[in-house]
Structures are given as C-alpha cells and as structure tokens.
Amino acid sequence: METINIFIPTLRKKNKQITLDRLKDSNGTRLTEFKDIEKEIFQFYGKLVGTSTSKVIHVDIEAIKRGPLLSTEKVNSLILPVTEAEIWQVLNGIGDCKAPSVDGYNARFFKQSWESIKDVVLRVVQEFFYHKRIYTEANCSLVTLIPKTKNAKLIKDLRPIACCSTL
C-alpha cells in the first residue's frame, strides 16, 4: 500500500505537464492546433534528419567469421533460461526514476512492488525469450521535447529525448 501512496502523487504531478501551447512555426505564426504542431515537428526533423536512402550497407559475413568467436561455453550460456535473479539484478541496475513507461510506472515502482509482481514480470520476460512475443505496452517509446531555453517557442528550441518502457 505504501508504494501506491508514493506513486499516485507522482502520477498526478506528471499529468500536469507543460504543453506546447506557445509553439510558433518558422514564420512566427503561433500554432494552437495539434495537427499544425505535428506538421511543424515532422517538417523540422524531416529536413534535419532526411527521409530515406537507396544505399543499404550489408553485413559482411566473411569479415565476421574472421573475427574473434565465442567459446562453446559462452555460446551455451546465451541460451540458458532467464532467471528471476537475473531480472532482479537488471532491475536494480536501473535508477529509480529512470525509464518510466508511458503509464508512469518507473523502476522504483517495480522495485518496491517486486514481491507482488515478480511472477508476472518473470512470465512476461520468459514469453519474450521462449515464444518471441512481446506485449505491445512493453515495447514502446515516447519521444518527449525538452526546452533548451526558458522561453522555447520554436521547434529548434526543443531537444527530443526518447523515453523507453521500463519492462
């Protein structure tokens, strides 16, 4: 119950985030509609990053074979079943406020709730490794725009960061 008491205020605070209501396009026109903001973002990053390439660099299998190879013992260690202890070790390697998922649950929630949720987490991880299936909610990222300056008004004044799911 203590975990929920800590988590709920954090989620409420997160939901009161500042929005892009002051954003202007490259001509200085204020953007208020979501579709206009979206269009401006895609245009800006489309020009910055580009769109596509016709040249795809292939993997040189022969070069890989000439490189160092894993021992049989190391190869076999890669196919061992995933254990609860390994998952717990990885979870503890994540900072408490790192990698929040889109629903607001961060690593701290998982750590503090571990005794209640560990069986479910273990099943989800094993489902991925043994059946090559991953739950959509566990495989998502949220791109967030962080202001570079106090009064950011243009897309170029915002820095994109990717927030990946905890699980």
Side-chain angles (χ1 to χ4, degrees), residues 131-155:
H131 303 290
K132 298 178 185 172
R133 290 189 296 241
I134 189 165
Y135 294 97
T136 305
E137 294 80 7
N139 187 27
C140 64
S141 296
L142 179 67
V143 175
T144 302
L145 298 172
I146 306 294
K148 294 178 188 177
T149 62
K150 187 175 182 178
N151 295 315
K153 292 185 171 113
L154 302 172
I155 293 296

Short mmCIF file of all heavy atoms in Angstrom, two decimals, residues 131-155:
data_model
loop_
_atom_site.label_atom_id
_atom_site.label_comp_id
_atom_site.label_asym_id
_atom_site.label_seq_id
_atom_site.Cartn_x
_atom_site.Cartn_y
_atom_site.Cartn_z
N HIS A 131 9.01 -17.60 -26.63
CA HIS A 131 7.98 -17.63 -27.67
C HIS A 131 8.09 -16.47 -28.65
O HIS A 131 7.24 -16.31 -29.52
CB HIS A 131 6.59 -17.66 -27.05
CG HIS A 131 6.40 -18.82 -26.11
ND1 HIS A 131 6.31 -20.12 -26.54
CD2 HIS A 131 6.31 -18.86 -24.76
CE1 HIS A 131 6.17 -20.92 -25.49
NE2 HIS A 131 6.17 -20.19 -24.40
N LYS A 132 9.10 -15.63 -28.48
CA LYS A 132 9.36 -14.48 -29.36
C LYS A 132 8.15 -13.56 -29.47
O LYS A 132 7.87 -13.00 -30.52
CB LYS A 132 9.79 -14.96 -30.75
CG LYS A 132 11.08 -15.76 -30.72
CD LYS A 132 11.44 -16.24 -32.09
CE LYS A 132 12.67 -17.14 -31.98
NZ LYS A 132 12.98 -17.80 -33.22
N ARG A 133 7.45 -13.40 -28.36
CA ARG A 133 6.31 -12.48 -28.32
C ARG A 133 6.57 -11.45 -27.22
O ARG A 133 7.06 -11.79 -26.15
CB ARG A 133 5.02 -13.24 -28.01
CG ARG A 133 4.55 -14.11 -29.14
CD ARG A 133 3.17 -14.65 -28.87
NE ARG A 133 3.18 -15.53 -27.70
CZ ARG A 133 2.84 -16.82 -27.74
NH1 ARG A 133 2.48 -17.37 -28.86
NH2 ARG A 133 2.86 -17.54 -26.66
N ILE A 134 6.21 -10.22 -27.53
CA ILE A 134 6.37 -9.17 -26.53
C ILE A 134 5.08 -8.37 -26.48
O ILE A 134 4.45 -8.11 -27.50
CB ILE A 134 7.58 -8.26 -26.86
CG1 ILE A 134 7.88 -7.32 -25.69
CG2 ILE A 134 7.39 -7.51 -28.14
CD1 ILE A 134 9.24 -6.66 -25.78
N TYR A 135 4.67 -8.03 -25.29
CA TYR A 135 3.46 -7.25 -25.12
C TYR A 135 3.69 -5.85 -25.67
O TYR A 135 4.73 -5.25 -25.44
CB TYR A 135 3.06 -7.18 -23.64
CG TYR A 135 2.66 -8.52 -23.08
CD1 TYR A 135 3.55 -9.32 -22.39
CD2 TYR A 135 1.36 -8.99 -23.28
CE1 TYR A 135 3.18 -10.56 -21.91
CE2 TYR A 135 0.98 -10.23 -22.80
CZ TYR A 135 1.90 -11.01 -22.11
OH TYR A 135 1.52 -12.23 -21.64
N THR A 136 2.74 -5.34 -26.39
CA THR A 136 2.85 -4.03 -27.02
C THR A 136 3.25 -2.97 -26.00
O THR A 136 4.10 -2.12 -26.27
CB THR A 136 1.53 -3.64 -27.70
OG1 THR A 136 1.17 -4.68 -28.60
CG2 THR A 136 1.65 -2.34 -28.45
N GLU A 137 2.66 -3.01 -24.83
CA GLU A 137 2.92 -2.00 -23.80
C GLU A 137 4.37 -2.01 -23.34
O GLU A 137 4.89 -1.01 -22.87
CB GLU A 137 2.00 -2.20 -22.60
CG GLU A 137 0.54 -1.97 -22.88
CD GLU A 137 -0.15 -3.16 -23.56
OE1 GLU A 137 0.48 -4.24 -23.70
OE2 GLU A 137 -1.29 -3.00 -23.98
N ALA A 138 5.03 -3.16 -23.46
CA ALA A 138 6.41 -3.26 -23.01
C ALA A 138 7.39 -2.85 -24.09
O ALA A 138 8.57 -2.68 -23.82
CB ALA A 138 6.71 -4.70 -22.57
N ASN A 139 6.91 -2.68 -25.29
CA ASN A 139 7.80 -2.38 -26.42
C ASN A 139 7.42 -1.04 -27.04
O ASN A 139 7.03 -0.97 -28.20
CB ASN A 139 7.72 -3.49 -27.46
CG ASN A 139 8.73 -3.32 -28.56
OD1 ASN A 139 9.78 -2.74 -28.35
ND2 ASN A 139 8.42 -3.83 -29.73
N CYS A 140 7.49 0.00 -26.24
CA CYS A 140 7.15 1.31 -26.79
C CYS A 140 8.09 2.37 -26.23
O CYS A 140 8.69 2.20 -25.18
CB CYS A 140 5.70 1.67 -26.50
SG CYS A 140 5.34 1.86 -24.76
N SER A 141 8.20 3.43 -26.97
CA SER A 141 8.99 4.57 -26.54
C SER A 141 8.15 5.82 -26.74
O SER A 141 7.29 5.86 -27.60
CB SER A 141 10.27 4.71 -27.36
OG SER A 141 11.10 3.60 -27.14
N LEU A 142 8.41 6.80 -25.95
CA LEU A 142 7.70 8.06 -26.05
C LEU A 142 8.75 9.14 -26.28
O LEU A 142 9.68 9.27 -25.50
CB LEU A 142 6.94 8.33 -24.74
CG LEU A 142 6.16 9.61 -24.64
CD1 LEU A 142 4.98 9.59 -25.61
CD2 LEU A 142 5.65 9.81 -23.23
N VAL A 143 8.61 9.86 -27.39
CA VAL A 143 9.55 10.95 -27.66
C VAL A 143 8.99 12.20 -26.99
O VAL A 143 7.84 12.57 -27.20
CB VAL A 143 9.74 11.18 -29.17
CG1 VAL A 143 10.62 12.39 -29.42
CG2 VAL A 143 10.34 9.94 -29.81
N THR A 144 9.81 12.80 -26.16
CA THR A 144 9.41 14.00 -25.43
C THR A 144 10.31 15.15 -25.86
O THR A 144 11.50 14.96 -26.08
CB THR A 144 9.57 13.76 -23.91
OG1 THR A 144 8.78 12.64 -23.55
CG2 THR A 144 9.15 14.96 -23.11
N LEU A 145 9.74 16.33 -26.00
CA LEU A 145 10.52 17.50 -26.37
C LEU A 145 10.81 18.32 -25.11
O LEU A 145 9.91 18.74 -24.41
CB LEU A 145 9.76 18.34 -27.40
CG LEU A 145 9.48 17.62 -28.72
CD1 LEU A 145 8.55 18.46 -29.60
CD2 LEU A 145 10.77 17.31 -29.45
N ILE A 146 12.09 18.53 -24.85
CA ILE A 146 12.55 19.26 -23.67
C ILE A 146 13.05 20.63 -24.12
O ILE A 146 13.87 20.72 -25.03
CB ILE A 146 13.70 18.50 -22.97
CG1 ILE A 146 13.30 17.07 -22.65
CG2 ILE A 146 14.18 19.25 -21.73
CD1 ILE A 146 12.20 16.93 -21.65
N PRO A 147 12.57 21.71 -23.49
CA PRO A 147 13.05 23.05 -23.89
C PRO A 147 14.54 23.22 -23.64
O PRO A 147 15.05 22.85 -22.58
CB PRO A 147 12.25 23.99 -22.99
CG PRO A 147 11.14 23.18 -22.44
CD PRO A 147 11.57 21.76 -22.45
N LYS A 148 15.25 23.79 -24.62
CA LYS A 148 16.67 24.10 -24.46
C LYS A 148 16.84 25.44 -23.75
O LYS A 148 17.88 25.69 -23.13
CB LYS A 148 17.35 24.19 -25.82
CG LYS A 148 17.41 22.91 -26.60
CD LYS A 148 18.09 23.16 -27.95
CE LYS A 148 18.03 21.98 -28.86
NZ LYS A 148 18.63 22.27 -30.18
N THR A 149 15.83 26.30 -23.87
CA THR A 149 15.87 27.62 -23.24
C THR A 149 14.60 27.83 -22.43
O THR A 149 13.62 27.10 -22.60
CB THR A 149 15.96 28.73 -24.31
OG1 THR A 149 14.79 28.68 -25.13
CG2 THR A 149 17.20 28.58 -25.17
N LYS A 150 14.62 28.84 -21.58
CA LYS A 150 13.47 29.09 -20.70
C LYS A 150 12.20 29.43 -21.49
O LYS A 150 11.12 28.98 -21.15
CB LYS A 150 13.81 30.23 -19.73
CG LYS A 150 12.75 30.43 -18.68
CD LYS A 150 13.19 31.47 -17.66
CE LYS A 150 12.13 31.62 -16.58
NZ LYS A 150 12.53 32.58 -15.57
N ASN A 151 12.31 30.20 -22.53
CA ASN A 151 11.15 30.62 -23.31
C ASN A 151 11.15 30.00 -24.70
O ASN A 151 11.00 30.70 -25.70
CB ASN A 151 11.10 32.15 -23.42
CG ASN A 151 10.88 32.79 -22.06
OD1 ASN A 151 10.04 32.34 -21.30
ND2 ASN A 151 11.66 33.81 -21.76
N ALA A 152 11.31 28.70 -24.78
CA ALA A 152 11.34 28.00 -26.07
C ALA A 152 10.01 28.18 -26.79
O ALA A 152 8.95 27.91 -26.23
CB ALA A 152 11.63 26.52 -25.84
N LYS A 153 10.10 28.64 -28.04
CA LYS A 153 8.88 28.86 -28.83
C LYS A 153 8.94 28.19 -30.19
O LYS A 153 7.93 28.01 -30.84
CB LYS A 153 8.64 30.35 -29.00
CG LYS A 153 8.27 31.04 -27.70
CD LYS A 153 7.91 32.49 -27.92
CE LYS A 153 7.36 33.06 -26.65
NZ LYS A 153 8.11 34.04 -26.01
N LEU A 154 10.14 27.85 -30.65
CA LEU A 154 10.32 27.22 -31.95
C LEU A 154 10.78 25.78 -31.76
O LEU A 154 11.39 25.45 -30.75
CB LEU A 154 11.35 27.99 -32.78
CG LEU A 154 11.05 29.47 -33.05
CD1 LEU A 154 12.25 30.14 -33.71
CD2 LEU A 154 9.81 29.60 -33.92
N ILE A 155 10.50 24.94 -32.76
CA ILE A 155 10.92 23.54 -32.68
C ILE A 155 12.43 23.44 -32.45
O ILE A 155 12.88 22.60 -31.69
CB ILE A 155 10.50 22.78 -33.95
CG1 ILE A 155 8.98 22.68 -34.04
CG2 ILE A 155 11.11 21.39 -33.99
CD1 ILE A 155 8.35 21.87 -32.95
#
